[in-house]
Amino acid sequence: MAEKVKLFVNGQEVEVESGKNLIDAIGAIGIEIPHLCYHPALGADGNCRLCLVGIEDGRPPLVPACKTRVAEGMKVQLDTGKIKKIQQDIMEFELINHPIDCPVCDQAGECKLQDYYMRYDAQPSRMTVKQVLKSKKLDFGCGVVHDQERCVLCARCVRFTRLITKTGELGIVNRTDYARVEIFPGRPLNNRYALNVVDLCPVGAMTSQDFRFKQRVWFLTKSPSICHGCSKGCNIFIDHNREKYKDDIIYRFRPRHNEKVNGYFMCDDGRMTYKLENDNRLLGAMIDKRETGFNEAVEAVRRELSQAAKTVILVSPNASLEQMYALQQFAGTINAQVSGFSDGYIKNGDGDDFLIQDDKSANRATFHLLGIDDTRAGFDTAVAGADLLLSFDNDLSLSLPQTDLDQLLGQVKLITVGSRQNDFVTKASIKLPVASFSEDSGSIINCDGRLQRYDAAVIKNEPMPSMIAAINMLGGGIVSHQEAREGLQANVPKLKDIDLDQVPGDGIALTENEVAHVAA
Amino acid sequence: MSDRSQLIETGQPFNFDAQRDAEFERLIKRYPSRESMILPALWLVQEQEGWISAEAMAYVADRIGTFASKVYEVATFYTMYHLQPKGKYHICVCRTLSCYLLGKQEIVDYIIEHLDVRPGEVRADGLYSFEEVECLGHCGSAPVVQINGEFYENMTVEKLEELLATLQ
Ligand code: SF4
Ligand code: SF4
Ligand code: FES
Ligand code: FES
């Protein structure tokens, strides 16, 4: 528990966490101090002056709240006429050259300037001179589009490239009315986290080429989830919308704050994995390239299972803890071997020392927790003499060289249960579609051994069965997530004290080294 | 002040000559932080070339070990750095408060109209270049005009006319 200090805000006694600045400390108990340039991950810059507050203790009459730490007994004034006047004046200043066309701005609905204007200013404009026009729709690289005339020069984006990615592509050039954010000629944004400047920008000056003008943000449902782009498991919001007569579509992933995993950020590649949830989905069951009903396909698989001499179950390293457990149990009942072979999901040397990991799968750590072998040698032993390969969303073509794959498929019958189409799935004689992670709930363990939970975000018009339901129909004993979770708690020693239904928002560290140091 | 963000690329790599190179090395020892060398290094470029190109900025950034964007910020902030070749006579008119209140606009308008050159531009024949700049520190004798580094105080349109006649 962090230490607390007592102070007075507008004469009222409150208790807040010590060591923080006024904006964060008082903000945490629901008292807002307006600010544009300060961001917890970028530190105080003190350039916007919107956060000025009064402190009655003999220090200068006004101080920037972003640069002032809370202290015992401090008397903070936020509601005096003088402070309100400052807030109004700063807002007026910010709006001198800002185009007042919120209805056509991509940021409308999540814009600080818009919110603060309504809350702290609400005055008609007194400007009679022409606004300074600046450039629009500048391509800054990495899918970032900059609209100079909306910029309030808070320098968050600039500081992000200097402090976080240390690539420093952005700067504020010129001064006075001409000041603007620019890239150095010929040196556009060039880092793998560039799109974070879009989230950081408090106004609509930084937009994402991919997202801009596709949706009004107030139509989007913002569901918390976990990125499955690599083994880091960055916390995200899945922003999706079901328009009338259409299906629920995901429009973007945005980072969700979790100090223990990803801070405020996520990588650009991960951000774009939302497309995998929308596109190339497996939408119907198929037997030998013929579309069939789901139940009919299930029957066909059960028949194959009963006739097979040796069955191997191949698990995806993206499957959830619950799914893997259900599969393991199922494998036990049908006497099949389980392999998690998925070397192709690992891109050696691709990771960095920030968020991106070599391992592009979300839950390999669970293989190690549940003792699922994911080596090539283990796989080769398992498939030796097998005549049926049942793959649960594992794209084996990523891991096996073409010739080996062809040889294998000459020997076994392939059945796939999964959420998306790919070359490997095309080769299957029976395909069963199931829900993808954004439509399902589950737990995953990241590269640092942190157990995190996600819930179903997207509800399709025609929902696919969950993988656990599919496994159950194929003959697996586990009927629900609930049951899988109970089973895990009862049978996996490292989980015995963990209620998987109650995993907190920022996850739980599984301390055992065995889990933490998974091969990446 | 005008928009100074449009840098000129010469298409040639920039390098300090031997003298500036030595001077750079001498100066950099003075500063605990290398980034503080941005201003003096830009001066050296300007001394050598008369103006600062995009390549020269990139060179300075690499030489100091900082982001080109930072050098770009500094060079576009201070109007004493010339981001294009100057005219034979480089005229700066202060546009900040004291000068503004005491009539800098008449002088600016006169220059635009009679010398046919706008702030931030060089006249086609290369005789004049013109820049509106921030406070020149001569507020007590505002408005002030600076031509090729010389200050002319308590300026009026008449005085400027006379002065220009002596320059040709
Ligand atoms: S583009 Fe956005 S983040 Fe960057 S300085 Fe302008 S307002 Fe701030
Ligand atoms: S670092 Fe990994 S988990 Fe995080 S956003 Fe990128 S791909 Fe997703
Ligand atoms: S948030 Fe404090 S000055 Fe901008
Ligand atoms: S205002 Fe012009 S010299 Fe200071």
Side-chain angles (χ1 to χ4, degrees), chain B residues 94-100 134-140 142-144:
Chain B
C94 171
R95 54 160 236 163
T96 310
L97 190 65
S98 309
C99 293
Y100 189 98
E134 305 301 321
C135 183
L136 286 170
H138 281 237
C139 315
V144 299

Side-chain angles (χ1 to χ4, degrees), chain A residues 227-234 266-267 269-271 355-357:
Chain A
C227 176
H228 278 48
C230 80
S231 60
K232 191 72 189 179
C234 293
M266 74 185 294
C267 78
D269 285 341
R271 203 183 278 269
L355 299 175
I356 300 170
Q357 303 297 312

Side-chain angles (χ1 to χ4, degrees), chain A residues 158 161-162 166-178 180 182-187, chain B residues 1-5 7 9 54 57-58 62 67-70 72-73 76-79 95 134:
Chain A
V158 174
T161 64
R162 290 183 184 171
K166 305 200 168 57
T167 44
E169 297 95 333
L170 303 176
I172 294 179
V173 302
N174 290 332
R175 57 204 264 183
T176 70
D177 280 353
Y178 293 94
R180 62 195 62 190
E182 267 294 356
I183 48 173
F184 190 80
R187 298 194 187 180
Chain B
M1 175 95 195
S2 45
D3 176 12
R4 293 163 54 83
S5 65
L7 301 186
E9 290 176 54
M57 278 186 214
D62 293 344
F67 304 124
S69 71
K70 275 199 180 167
Y72 189 19
E73 286 182 335
T76 52
F77 187 88
Y78 294 109
T79 48
R95 54 160 236 163
E134 305 301 321

